[in-house]
Amino acid sequence: MKGLKDKVVIVSGGATLIGAAVARAFVAEGARVVIADIDTRGGTALATELGECCRFIATDVTRDADIEACVAATLKAFGGVDCLVNVAAAYVDNGFDSPREDWEKAFAINVFGAVMFLRACRPHLKNGGTVVNFGSTSAGVAQAGRWTYPATKAAVLQFTRSAALDLAADGIRVNAVSPGWTWSGILDQISGGDRDKVNAVAKPFHMLGRIGDPAEVADAVLFLCSDHARFITGTNLAVDGGYAALGPEQGLSPITELMS
Ligand SMILES: NC(=O)c1ccc[n+]([C@@H]2O[C@H](COP(=O)([O-])OP(=O)(O)OC[C@H]3O[C@@H](n4cnc5c(N)ncnc54)[C@H](O)[C@@H]3O)[C@@H](O)[C@H]2O)c1
């Protein structure tokens, strides 16, 4: 993709499947990547795999001091920051039963972490800088037993629009991706590693009949950061196999049923 070679990219939450796919994809385009994550083991292993063009910086996005230190370490290692990808998130959610501390934790990681990372990077982002935040299909629909996580993702999408407007004059683009179900640590864990089972469950509500792959989400992130997307800002790109476009009727034919 155009315009990614030699760019310096910070990927928060880059240590696990989806974030790691983003990091790998940037490195494959010749970019330099900093993985900012609390998962020291996974982050170190990935940075070792990716070599000289990648660093792992242990970073808790709920701590401003960690974020500042991560940005400083990025400047020291690679001399600048061109792109920020806010992947880090937590699935803290007990629906109606979520106490205040769960709401605060979910917002602290999923929303405030992304906002504060952008604030810390902002002085170093030049004209042409890009930011990609992670929304979710969960941001736009009601899901049984889920209250906190969808609310955080809706907030991320609104923050994306606000930031896009206020940074546009300086030539910085801010966008979001909203994945549908994507093969990830949580789906691996819940399904006992059975991707076929996950695909079968997800099939009725993803037009393409399967879950997404981390690399497919990463491709969309790279596109938004590339020169191909130079006139795109403030948008939310669904990377969801048609999940969000599929209404309650799903792929069924209720009219046909009525006529029968
Ligand atoms: N998995 C899906 O199906 C799906 C669907 C829609 C959206 N998403 C979004 O995609 C992104 C990745 O999802 P995932 O399922 O791979 O999540 P995940 O939980 O597997 O990975 C998130 C990463 O964030 C890191 N992290 C958590 N708390 C942190 C903190 N305080 N500071 C720094 N890092 C922290 C974790 O260590 C992990 O590496 C998330 O933003 C998620 O909301 C995922």
Side-chain angles (χ1 to χ4, degrees), residues 19-84:
V22 172
R24 283 197 185 93
F26 271 111
V27 167
E29 294 289 335
R32 291 161 293 165
V33 173
V34 167
I35 299 159
D37 203 299
I38 49 171
D39 178 357
T40 300
R41 204 160 61 98
T44 306
L46 182 61
T48 305
E49 173 200 317
L50 294 177
E52 262 315 290
C53 50
C54 184
R55 299 277 191 286
F56 168 70
I57 311 288
T59 310
D60 182 340
V61 299
T62 66
R63 295 168 52 92
D64 290 349
D66 280 18
I67 291 174
E68 295 290 347
C70 177
V71 173
T74 304
L75 297 174
K76 190 164 175 224
F78 296 132
V81 185
D82 301 295
C83 312
L84 168 67

Side-chain angles (χ1 to χ4, degrees), residues 12-19 36-39 59-62 86-91 109-110 134-138 149 153 177-187 217:
S12 82
T16 41
L17 286 169
I18 297 176
D37 203 299
I38 49 171
D39 178 357
T59 310
D60 182 340
V61 299
T62 66
N86 282 310
V87 183
Y91 297 99
I109 298 170
N110 301 3
F134 266 64
S136 169
T137 45
S138 301
Y149 176 82
K153 291 295 169 178
V177 290
S178 280
W181 282 27
T182 308
W183 185 245
S184 50
I186 188 143
L187 291 180
V217 177

